[in-house]
Amino acid sequence: MCESKVVFKKGDSEELLMEDVVRIEVENGKLKLYGLLGEYREVEGKIALMDMRSHKILVVPYEG
């Protein structure tokens, strides 16, 4: 499967935002996260790293 976990990094700490994410939409400094089972979450930030081997997407604060 191609699900990923989305992690928010601020400073030295990381917070898990959502697991089993299958779709991300980027819109004006916001990320719309969609989960495998229909979950939805919207967060402010930008994608800093996408590591498909470890299924991890790193989000950092949006500065725009």
Side-chain angles (χ1 to χ4, degrees):
M1 295 294 239
C2 298
E3 305 91 35
S4 294
K5 62 182 174 182
V6 177
V7 178
F8 186 79
K9 181 175 177 133
K10 189 168 184 179
D12 290 334
S13 64
E14 291 187 356
E15 172 192 352
L16 178 64
L17 293 178
M18 193 170 174
E19 291 186 286
D20 298 327
V21 174
V22 294
R23 178 184 175 108
I24 299 175
E25 294 178 7
V26 179
E27 185 178 293
N28 299 324
K30 292 186 180 182
L31 302 174
K32 296 178 179 182
L33 311 175
Y34 296 88
L36 182 65
L37 300 176
E39 308 91 342
Y40 173 78
R41 182 165 182 186
E42 190 171 306
V43 297
E44 288 190 28
K46 63 181 181 179
I47 296 172
L49 172 73
M50 294 176 66
D51 186 343
M52 296 298 110
R53 278 188 262 158
S54 66
H55 302 278
K56 179 179 178 181
I57 299 170
L58 188 66
V59 174
V60 295
Y62 178 74
E63 299 167 7

